Amino acid sequence: MTSHPTPDNHSHWWLTTGKWQRLHAIPGTAITPAQMRAAIDDAQHTPATSACGLNRPWDMPGIGSRFSLPRCPHCCRALNIPAGPGTPANEQPTPA
């Protein structure tokens, strides 16, 4: 249940804008974990450019959003992954 840039998240942060409509992929190198912690602690937005080219201030989504918000289809296309709900690391494996 993470939005952090892990291999399961294709080394991207999965963050949202102030509208909380979609999860966008932000390259893991664009924001350090220390910068993200400071932004969360200070209730600040973190500026960066997403895989789909949006340059916005980003927020860390809550647990519900990490499981349910749709991933930006343009970010998914840029990463060559399927669109879907929640962060890629939270996807449930398809039963065989």
Side-chain angles (χ1 to χ4, degrees):
M1 67 183 137
T2 183
S3 287
H4 291 76
T6 65
D8 288 339
N9 275 333
H10 304 278
S11 300
H12 283 67
W13 293 94
W14 288 85
L15 307 175
T16 186
T17 65
K19 293 183 180 181
W20 292 84
Q21 294 178 335
R22 287 186 178 72
L23 296 170
H24 290 269
I26 313 301
T29 56
I31 303 169
T32 68
Q35 288 171 316
M36 184 57 71
R37 276 191 302 277
I40 292 168
D41 289 347
D42 297 336
Q44 298 293 318
H45 304 290
T46 306
T49 302
S50 67
C52 68
L54 287 178
N55 188 3
R56 300 275 192 279
W58 303 98
D59 290 317
M60 175 65 74
I63 190 168
S65 298
R66 292 193 297 261
F67 280 106
S68 63
L69 279 180
R71 292 190 294 266
C72 168
H74 305 292
C75 285
C76 290
R77 195 173 310 118
L79 297 178
N80 199 29
I81 63 171
T87 66
N90 294 328
E91 289 182 341
Q92 298 296 321
T94 308

